[in-house]
Amino acid sequence: MDHSGLSQAPGPGAAALRTDTGAGAWSPPLLLVLPVILALLLLPLILVEMPPLLDYPNHLARVDVLLHYRTDPFLGDHYTASLTPVPNLLMEAVMLPLASVLPLYIAGRVYMALAGLLTLFGALLLNRTLFGRWSLWPLCGALFIYNATLIGGFMSFSLGLGFLLVALSLWIALAGRRWQVPVGMGCALFLYFAHAIVLGSFLLCLFAVEAVKYVGQGRKPPTLANLGRDALRFAALLVLPVALFAGTVGTHLLQSDAAAVGARDSTPVLLLKEVYWRLKKLTELKQWGYRLHDMLAPVLNYNTLLDVATLLLILGGMVAARLAGWLRAAPAMMLAVGLFVLAFFVVPDPFFGTYFVSIRFWILAAFLLVAGTDIRFPSARAAAAFAAGLLALLTVRTGVLTFNWLAYEDDVADLRRAMERIEPGRSVLIAWAGQEAGCCNTREFLLTQPPWRHALVALPSLIHLPSLITVERRAFVPTLFSHPGKQPLTVTQPYRDRCMAIYEGVPVDVRLLSRPEEATLRDHVEPCPHYIGWRDKYDYVLVMFSNVFHAAGLTPPPGAQEVYRGTVFDLWRVER
């Protein structure tokens, strides 16, 4: 069924391309192209045990703790599960059953495969729901699967994106039926537990879908009764998620945001302060450098020229198809794209305790742009050329990604050689070389380190890799995700002074070990005292980017004895 109220007819001349079979007969069979695309998407996950995804190792470690803390004395002593209904549970809901029957690292890759395949299926399904036919065009979404959020290891969001596209398709397909609102309420509640940003994005999409019904030919009269009825429908979708959020984790996350932007209160006015702070940031020229780079988020790989070319090919192809009269668009999806683009520039980072929020909206805009448009190729030859070009581009991108992922395995092996020196049951402080040595979030870092060691601008992909110490050595690390408003895991009271409260996972700048008086400086490290008195709290210090550390002529601080020197990891034993 073509939802004509939501899709726009093709331009002049395009009607001649239609046939009784919906123009699908001109396309090569979808089932011939789709298996090749799926094979290319899965290839990196088959070849690499530990992909260089920023947050991914930390998420794996958290799942492992939740799976074993009741039976493992060490884990049970240090961690406990939180019963707070946090809006970030999708990975646990899927991974805990998977990791119960599969090895942890295989379960993690199965999860990533599910995230990628469901997202691509969601784009195909949404396009089918809008335009009434299965099409080759939304397979362009395959180019967006390995995007900035997946490279960032944002696991619940990555899988939640696929569920969002499916839920949006259901809402549109059930338009005018009595089951639409009950199904929508179920989807909204599910997406709340999947990820709060996914739920908010879903509601933004529904707003666009319902808003376009009030414009154009055959529009819905904007009477008070109609507007009130639609408002009640939205209220029904929101009532349970809002109640859960406001009554549980909302205050925690507002306080996190307040600390991050330097505010002294956590009142609702803080939200306006954050938006103002973001808009003010956009007046700085250097911020536009970051914004321009963030625009590559849907195609972020390990080669900027390839990413730019990919984005230009997609956008240029759409413009050419529109000028030729081959492309039609769903106005509701184009409105949603516009809203997500606006959110990309306006919504601050952090927002409700979550970082890299804006790039998620840009990625959502990219998927909706592809799923919300349709190209009717004029001939089988044109469709075949499109399919061949898509497969060629995806093959090149997959090759670049796989090469970098395989190279990252040497860094993982280096960490494991360091971990072999750690006795189970110990505590390990995580540090990195720091900006003093030209490490992390600096131009020098980008120029001197290979691509697989940095993600999301200059943020090192190695940051969370030491979380595997908990998995493989059953030792405590302070960087494990345990924020009370964001994670279903908390550190037990005796060890609270060793864990990080707000900026989870951020290592200590190694210079703070010698100069703890600088610990209050916001730009150096998060305001948490877990590193104060480190000689009494920890048995080891693991140093990341030891190559940079030694190149800068730095030496271990007093009280630390080097026991392993590797390529990018050093291990120091704390002497008491």
Side-chain angles (χ1 to χ4, degrees):
M1 178 179 180
D2 188 333
H3 289 262
S4 56
L6 298 173
S7 60
Q8 186 179 38
L17 301 177
R18 295 181 180 176
T19 69
D20 292 338
T21 56
W26 290 112
S27 301
L30 190 66
L31 292 179
L32 292 180
V33 180
L34 188 58
V36 182
I37 289 178
L38 298 182
L40 288 170
L41 292 177
L42 294 176
L43 182 64
L45 298 175
I46 294 171
L47 295 178
V48 180
E49 180 193 45
M50 184 59 59
L53 311 181
L54 185 64
D55 287 359
Y56 175 65
N58 207 316
H59 289 303
L60 281 184
R62 190 181 71 234
V63 168
D64 186 62
V65 171
L66 288 170
L67 200 61
H68 297 109
Y69 81 98
R70 294 184 184 275
T71 57
D72 187 298
F74 173 80
L75 295 180
D77 185 43
H78 288 76
Y79 299 100
T80 185
S82 170
L83 298 179
T84 304
V86 297
N88 184 21
L89 293 175
L90 186 55
M91 185 173 188
E92 280 71 25
V94 176
M95 274 292 292
L96 287 175
L98 276 177
S100 298
V101 297
L102 294 172
L104 181 68
Y105 297 156
I106 293 178
R109 286 178 285 156
V110 170
Y111 178 94
M112 282 188 283
L114 290 173
L117 298 184
L118 182 64
T119 301
L120 183 59
F121 170 74
L124 287 166
L125 180 63
L126 179 57
N127 184 269
R128 169 68 175 81
T129 303
L130 289 167
F131 299 104
R133 70 186 189 112
W134 296 105
S135 171
L136 279 173
W137 167 245
L139 288 177
C140 275
L143 298 170
F144 302 150
I145 296 301
Y146 288 102
N147 54 60
T149 55
L150 189 62
I151 296 298
F154 308 152
M155 306 313 296
S156 289
F157 177 85
S158 295
L159 182 55
L161 175 57
F163 281 112
L164 183 157
L165 295 172
V166 172
L168 180 57
S169 300
L170 285 174
W171 179 268
I172 295 171
L174 293 174
R177 302 181 184 179
R178 62 179 181 176
W179 289 105
Q180 187 187 42
V181 172
V183 170
M185 290 177 66
C187 289
L189 187 60
F190 177 85
L191 294 178
Y192 168 82
F193 286 111
H195 200 285
I197 295 176
V198 174
L199 171 62
S201 301
F202 174 63
L203 295 173
L204 201 63
C205 290
L206 297 196
F207 171 79
V209 168
E210 298 304 312
V212 297
K213 294 178 180 179
Y214 289 95
V215 297
Q217 288 185 338
R219 67 179 183 270
K220 189 176 181 179
T223 63
L224 188 60
N226 285 336
L227 293 172
R229 191 178 300 112
D230 285 342
L232 287 175
R233 280 152 42 94
F234 263 86
L237 300 181
L238 281 168
V239 60
L240 287 177
V242 168
L244 283 171
F245 186 79
T248 55
V249 301
T251 301
H252 285 297
L253 299 183
L254 275 173
Q255 289 172 348
S256 296
D257 286 3
V261 300
R264 295 183 177 275
D265 62 84
S266 57
T267 65
V269 178
L270 176 62
L271 297 177
L272 298 178
K273 292 181 179 180
E274 288 182 307
V275 171
Y276 169 76
W277 172 76
R278 178 59 177 271
L279 292 173
K280 185 178 179 182
K281 281 287 184 181
L282 287 176
T283 64
E284 301 175 11
L285 186 60
K286 66 177 182 179
Q287 290 295 322
W288 279 99
Y290 291 124
R291 291 294 90 195
L292 290 173
H293 186 277
D294 287 348
M295 290 179 186
L296 295 176
V299 291
L300 189 67
N301 205 311
Y302 297 93
N303 186 301
T304 302
L305 289 178
L306 180 60
D307 297 341
V308 171
T310 300
L311 210 56
L312 290 178
L313 282 171
I314 295 171
L315 295 176
M318 292 183 70
V319 171
R322 182 63 178 176
L323 293 176
W326 303 347
L327 182 143
R328 57 178 180 169
M333 296 301 100
M334 298 306 100
L335 175 58
V337 168
L339 293 174
F340 283 126
V341 170
L342 178 63
F344 170 74
F345 288 104
V346 173
V347 174
D349 284 315
F351 190 61
F352 280 107
T354 301
Y355 286 80
F356 301 106
V357 174
S358 59
I359 63 172
R360 307 181 200 220
F361 295 129
W362 197 254
I363 290 168
L364 280 160
F367 275 107
L368 291 180
L369 186 64
V370 169
T373 53
D374 185 41
I375 291 181
R376 295 179 180 267
F377 299 102
S379 66
R381 181 176 296 180
F386 165 78
L390 174 61
L391 291 177
L393 182 56
L394 186 60
T395 299
V396 172
R397 290 182 58 82
T398 301
V400 171
L401 182 134
T402 303
F403 172 82
N404 282 277
W405 282 23
L406 288 171
Y408 180 75
E409 289 195 320
D410 290 337
D411 293 345
V412 177
D414 188 41
L415 172 66
R416 286 187 166 132
R417 287 190 291 270
M419 288 195 298
E420 290 173 357
R421 276 77 172 175
I422 300 172
E423 297 94 346
R426 302 297 184 176
S427 293
V428 184
L429 180 62
I430 312 300
W432 62 12
Q435 293 186 15
E436 183 176 316
C439 173
C440 314
N441 295 306
T442 66
R443 180 175 175 79
E444 292 79 7
F445 177 77
L446 283 172
L447 294 176
T448 59
Q449 299 297 317
W452 62 84
R453 287 187 188 154
H454 50 78
L456 304 180
V457 190
L459 200 58
S461 58
L462 299 178
I463 284 182
H464 297 289
L465 192 59
S467 300
L468 300 183
I469 294 173
T470 300
V471 176
E472 300 189 13
R473 302 303 294 172
R474 285 295 183 257
F476 178 84
V477 295
T479 52
L480 200 64
F481 288 152
S482 57
H483 190 293
K486 294 165 59 179
Q487 313 294 347
L489 184 73
T490 58
V491 176
T492 56
Q493 189 60 46
Y495 303 99
R496 288 283 176 86
D497 66 339
R498 301 184 190 183
C499 72
M500 308 182 77
I502 298 176
Y503 301 97
E504 303 169 284
V506 179
V508 176
D509 189 325
V510 73
R511 60 183 155 172
L512 292 179
L513 302 184
S514 299
R515 306 198 294 271
E517 68 278 2
E518 295 185 6
T520 57
L521 296 182
R522 165 66 182 86
D523 289 338
H524 288 172
V525 73
E526 56 102 14
C528 180
H530 74 279
Y531 45 82
I532 304 300
W534 59 273
R535 294 178 183 84
D536 299 321
K537 295 177 180 177
Y538 300 97
D539 303 295
Y540 294 94
V541 178
L542 182 76
V543 182
M544 288 188 285
F545 300 106
S546 55
N547 54 340
V548 178
F549 178 83
H550 294 298
L554 301 179
T555 58
Q561 178 66 42
E562 181 183 290
V563 295
Y564 172 78
R565 178 179 293 195
T567 306
V568 287
F569 289 102
D570 277 7
L571 183 67
W572 303 337
R573 180 182 290 111
V574 177
E575 298 178 333
R576 295 187 177 91

